[in-house]
Amino acid sequence: MNADILFTIWLSEYKFFEPFFQIISTRLFSFSLLFLFSIYFFIKKKFWIFVFIILAILVGDFLGALLKEILSEERPCFGNNGKLLISEGILESLCGEQKTGMPSNHALNFFLFTSLFFLIERNLLITFFLILISILVGLSRVFLIKHFLSQVIMGSAIGLIFGVLFYEIYKRIIKKWTFQ
């Protein structure tokens, strides 16, 4: 067995995490966080920064989806890995034939948001909170057998890289337009 499968099997033993991981992996959770941050940026009179971050996430999500198509890597619930997880009693059934595992867009989007927030705002307390949430969202994708750990790590790394690239765009263009 490879390290991805072993980690998935190990993490699945902690069933008490399931309700928590189910919640933080939902769109409702993501949109609730975005709503809270829209209020944060509105109060700070930096709403255009929030709009820029949302646009960056949309572009990052699109590029992540494009990478999924190019890399065409199986999710853990497909093929032989899925059959192994079924035999271990971790998975009930295979989940289809689409090969859209690499990278995890959840991890990509959360780490993109976190890195952009930190680079623009430099608020360590909120950034620490965002890093913790990003890590937990990534782990939720492994626990829920949507991705392998390697796919989450790759999504996280791509999100951080995109965050730095979008920050460079922010510094060169957006910051000048908003007179900050």
Side-chain angles (χ1 to χ4, degrees), residues 112-167:
L112 170 57
F113 183 90
T114 299
S115 59
L116 258 181
F117 179 85
F118 170 72
L119 292 169
I120 293 171
E121 287 295 293
R122 306 290 177 165
N123 184 317
L124 292 178
L125 181 63
I126 295 175
T127 300
F128 174 77
F129 172 72
L130 287 172
I131 290 169
L132 182 62
I133 287 174
S134 297
I135 290 168
L136 291 172
V137 166
L139 285 174
S140 78
R141 304 310 288 166
V142 177
F143 182 87
L144 298 171
I145 311 177
K146 302 295 183 186
H147 290 283
F148 288 117
L149 181 61
S150 61
Q151 296 168 337
V152 168
I153 290 170
M154 188 60 73
S156 302
I158 293 168
L160 291 171
I161 291 166
F162 284 173
V164 171
L165 293 175
F166 282 110
Y167 179 66

Side-chain angles (χ1 to χ4, degrees), residues 50-64:
F50 178 71
V51 170
F52 174 77
I53 291 173
I54 295 301
L55 291 173
I57 290 171
L58 290 172
V59 171
D61 192 64
F62 171 77
L63 293 173

Side-chain angles (χ1 to χ4, degrees), residues 95-113:
C95 61
E97 295 302 319
Q98 284 186 316
K99 293 185 176 184
T100 57
M102 178 70 86
S104 164
N105 270 21
H106 275 78
L108 187 155
N109 293 332
F110 272 84
F111 277 93
L112 170 57
F113 183 90

